[in-house]
Amino acid sequence: MASVTAADEKRVLDAAPHQLWIGGEWRDASNGATLGIEDPSTEETLCTIADGTPDDAVAALDAACDVQDEWAQTPPRDRGEILRRTFELMNERADDLALLMTLEMGKPIAESKSEIVYASEFIRWFSEQAVRIDGRYSVNPNGSGRLLTMKQPIGPCLLITPWNFPTAMGTRKIGPAVAAGCTMVVKPAQQTPLSMLALAAIMKEAGLPDGVLNVITSSKASSVTEPLMDDPRLRKMSFTGSTPIGKMLMEQASKRLIKCSMELGGNAPFLVFDDADLDAAVEQGVIAKMRNIGESCVAANRFHVHESVADEFAARLTEKLAAMKVARGTEDGSQVGPLIDGKQRDKVAELVDDAVGKGAKVMTGGERVGDKGYFYAPTVLSDISPDAELLREEIFGPVAPVATFSTEDEAIAAANSTEFGLVAYVFTRDIKRAFRVTEALDVGMLGLNRGLVSNAAAPFGGIKESGFGKEGGPEGIEEYLSTKYVAVDL
Ligand code: SIN
C-alpha cells in the first residue's frame, strides 16, 4: 500500500458503518446515544457510533431468532458459498479494512493487513467445513438395532469479541457459526467496533440473509450482554477476552446452562535450551513477543533461557527490539504502534517499574514514548527476580523479561507455574527433549521451534484458566453444533 494520506483516512472512516446492524437494517441506538471512537496514537476522536441499549440487544436477538429455523434449513453448500464470497471480498478490500483497523486499534498497517488475511482464512476454512458436517451410523453392540447420530446447529449465539484482533477474533466465531447454520448477535469491543461493522456490511454484500448476523456496539458491555445471557432463546456464548470477565460470564451462563467457549488470558513461557538454534530462537522470539505490539494472549510473556546462552540471547533480542520503529501505525515503516489506551499503557509501565524495583536490568526501552498517544518502547529486561509481577501477570505489551534456568526440570516447573495454560514455545534441537518437554507442559497449544501457532486450520484454545473450547480447525465448528443420538429399532 502506498503511504496513507489524511484523505485516505477520511475516506475509510466515512465509508465505515456507524450504526447498529439489526435484522438487515442500520439503526441508531433506541435512545439516540452515541459513543466516541478514539485513535490510540493521537488520543483524538475518530468518529462517533451508536451506543446500543439493552432494548437494542434484545431486538438483535429477536432478529436472530426470527430467522434461525430458516437459516438452519439453508443448504450447507449455500452457506459455504456465502462465506467463500465473504473471503473474496475481504481480500479485495484488504487495504481499506486494514487502514480502518489501524485507525481504531493502533497496530501498524502491515500487521492490520496480516490480520485481514488471517481473519479471512477463518472464513475460507469454514466455507469448506460447511459441507462436511456429518453423523454416524453403527450397529448396536447387542445387534438389536442401529445407533445414529446427527449434528444440528446449536441455535442463536452471542459472540463477544476483543479489541486486540478486531476482525480475526470475530471471523473465527462467525465463520463456524454461519457454516453450522446458527444465527448470532455479535458484541465487538467498545474500542474497536468499526472493523466488525465493516465486516457485517461485507457479509450482507456476500449474500448473508438479514438477521443471521446482528451487531450491537455499546460503551457498557454488560448492559447489552446480560439481558441476552438471561434470555432462554440464547443457546451459545463464545467469548474472547480476559479471565476475570470470562468467569463473570460463566456465572451468568450457569443460570440457563448456556454452552460456552472461552478464549481467555495467557502467560506464555518461551523456553530456550542450550542446544537451541539461537538464530531461530531470537528471530521467532521477536515474532512471539512483538506481533500485535505484544497485545495478544499468545504473546511470549516471559523468556526462560538456559544460563549458558542467556546473555547472548538477551543481547541479540535487545538489538532487534531496539531497532524497531515506534510510530503511528499509518506511518511508513511503523513496526510498533501505540497500546490500546492509557490504562493498558500504565499497566505495562507499572509491571516494568515493579520488575526494575526488584532488581531487573533494562537492556532497552523501559519508558513511554512521545507526549501524545499510548506508545511504549520495546523493552528487554534481564536479571529478573522470581517475585517480579510480570512473570505471573499477562503483560499485553512490548516487554520481554529474560529469566534463566539451569536444568530441564527447572524450566518445566517455571513454565507451568501459572494458573494459565494457553500456549508455550520451546526451542531445542534435541528431538527427545522436544517431546519430553512438549508432553510435560500444561498448555492447549505449543510452538516447537516456532514463535507463532495461530492458523485457521488448527484448533486454537487453552486449558486451566485460559479457558476451554477450540476455535479453528475441524474442531472449531463442533462448538456450534449439537449432537442428537437416535436409537433405531429395526
Ligand atoms: C488473541 O490474542 O486473543 C488471539 C491471537 C491469535 O489468534 O493469534
Side-chain angles (χ1 to χ4, degrees):
M1 189 177 184
S3 293
V4 173
T5 63
D8 292 329
E9 292 182 23
K10 183 170 175 348
R11 182 177 50 77
V12 298
L13 283 172
D14 288 349
H18 292 67
Q19 290 166 294
L20 311 173
W21 177 238
I22 301 176
E25 273 178 21
W26 294 107
R27 294 193 201 168
D28 288 330
S30 51
N31 62 1
T34 57
L35 128 84
I37 305 303
E38 188 187 28
D39 178 341
S41 63
T42 61
E43 301 179 40
E44 281 164 17
T45 301
L46 290 167
C47 61
T48 56
I49 63 160
D51 191 0
T53 65
D55 286 348
D56 295 323
V58 173
L61 184 60
D62 291 344
C65 293
D66 286 350
V67 298
Q68 176 57 68
D69 287 349
E70 196 182 336
W71 181 239
Q73 306 295 326
T74 304
R77 176 67 75 201
D78 294 1
R79 302 200 298 260
E81 295 293 345
I82 292 166
L83 288 173
R84 176 74 204 189
R85 182 76 190 123
T86 302
F87 162 77
E88 284 159 3
L89 287 172
M90 287 177 77
N91 282 285
E92 277 168 29
R93 317 257 167 93
D95 284 348
D96 283 359
L97 291 171
L99 175 53
L100 187 65
M101 185 184 295
T102 289
L103 291 174
E104 64 176 348
M105 190 274 171
K107 70 177 86 176
I109 285 282
E111 290 224 44
S112 295
K113 270 269 205 63
S114 307
E115 181 178 339
I116 295 300
V117 171
Y118 178 45
S120 73
E121 281 303 330
F122 285 105
I123 296 289
R124 174 156 70 172
W125 173 264
F126 288 108
S127 77
E128 292 155 353
Q129 295 301 102
V131 294
R132 291 182 177 78
I133 299 166
D134 52 20
R136 273 200 327 263
Y137 172 95
S138 60
V139 177
N140 187 339
N142 71 11
S144 73
R146 301 295 177 262
L147 314 180
L148 307 187
T149 64
M150 60 178 72
K151 291 189 181 168
Q152 296 177 300
I154 192 161
C157 307
L158 171 61
L159 312 178
I160 307 176
T161 61
W163 50 261
N164 61 341
F165 289 90
T167 305
M169 299 303 97
T171 55
R172 75 180 183 194
K173 300 180 194 304
I174 295 168
V178 166
C182 296
T183 62
M184 65 213 79
V185 177
V186 180
K187 213 299 281 163
Q190 171 181 348
Q191 297 94 327
T192 57
L194 301 174
S195 296
M196 183 53 65
L197 293 169
L199 178 67
I202 284 181
M203 296 196 79
K204 164 76 180 163
E205 198 178 329
L208 191 70
D210 294 344
V212 173
L213 168 72
N214 306 277
V215 183
I216 289 290
T217 52
S218 176
S219 60
K220 293 172 274 316
S222 58
S223 76
V224 291
T225 56
E226 239 180 281
L228 304 192
M229 295 295 281
D230 202 21
D231 190 312
R233 297 173 299 169
L234 189 79
R235 306 303 296 278
K236 160 90 193 169
M237 194 279 300
S238 175
F239 171 68
T240 297
S242 73
T243 296
I245 303 284
K247 287 180 181 176
M248 190 196 75
L249 288 165
M250 275 289 287
E251 265 181 55
Q252 292 174 9
S254 69
K255 275 200 258 166
R256 296 196 180 277
L257 294 178
I258 292 166
K259 180 172 170 173
C260 295
S261 303
M262 293 281 180
E263 297 296 345
L264 308 178
N267 178 0
F270 190 107
L271 307 185
V272 183
F273 287 92
D274 51 356
D275 56 32
D277 173 345
L278 220 54
D279 291 338
V282 171
E283 186 194 314
Q284 296 294 307
V286 173
I287 294 169
K289 180 69 255 180
M290 295 304 293
R291 172 175 175 251
N292 220 44
I293 325 165
E295 291 176 312
S296 167
C297 57
V298 289
N301 206 55
R302 49 202 167 103
F303 291 83
H304 296 278
V305 186
H306 189 267
E307 58 195 3
S308 64
V309 290
D311 286 349
E312 190 181 347
F313 178 86
R316 287 166 68 175
L317 191 67
T318 299
E319 198 184 321
K320 297 271 188 200
L321 265 58
M324 293 183 89
K325 179 172 174 179
V326 181
R328 186 169 191 239
T330 51
E331 215 174 279
D332 284 344
S334 167
Q335 291 172 296
V336 185
L339 297 174
I340 191 67
D341 53 28
K343 193 169 154 222
Q344 184 56 30
R345 187 187 54 182
D346 291 349
K347 179 189 159 191
V348 169
E350 277 162 27
L351 287 171
V352 171
D353 292 348
D354 169 78
V356 171
K358 290 171 179 162
K361 183 168 145 212
V362 180
M363 308 274 293
T364 184
E367 61 194 3
R368 296 154 196 232
V369 178
D371 311 325
K372 274 263 171 98
Y374 309 114
F375 295 93
Y376 197 86
T379 298
V380 179
L381 303 175
S382 65
D383 299 349
I384 305 293
S385 156
D387 64 346
E389 284 300 318
L390 45 52
L391 294 182
R392 271 177 295 283
E393 276 233 16
E394 190 172 30
I395 302 170
F396 240 61
V399 176
V402 182
T404 58
F405 66 85
S406 43
T407 66
E408 188 178 302
D409 285 348
E410 212 185 288
I412 292 168
N416 283 340
S417 72
T418 166
E419 70 272 28
F420 297 108
L422 188 58
V423 65
Y425 303 94
V426 176
F427 282 73
T428 176
R429 280 190 275 217
D430 177 340
I431 184 81
K432 290 185 183 166
R433 165 176 282 155
F435 278 94
R436 239 180 3 246
V437 176
T438 297
E439 289 178 10
L441 294 184
D442 297 334
V443 286
M445 300 179 285
L446 192 134
L448 196 46
N449 296 318
R450 273 187 67 93
L452 182 67
V453 295
S454 309
N455 187 326
F460 188 104
I463 59 171
K464 294 162 70 181
E465 293 199 21
S466 291
F468 49 82
K470 295 292 178 188
E471 295 194 309
E475 292 85 350
I477 198 166
E478 298 296 331
E479 304 281 324
Y480 297 88
L481 294 167
S482 59
T483 299
K484 187 178 281 173
Y485 149 58
V486 186
V488 183
D489 184 8
L490 298 181

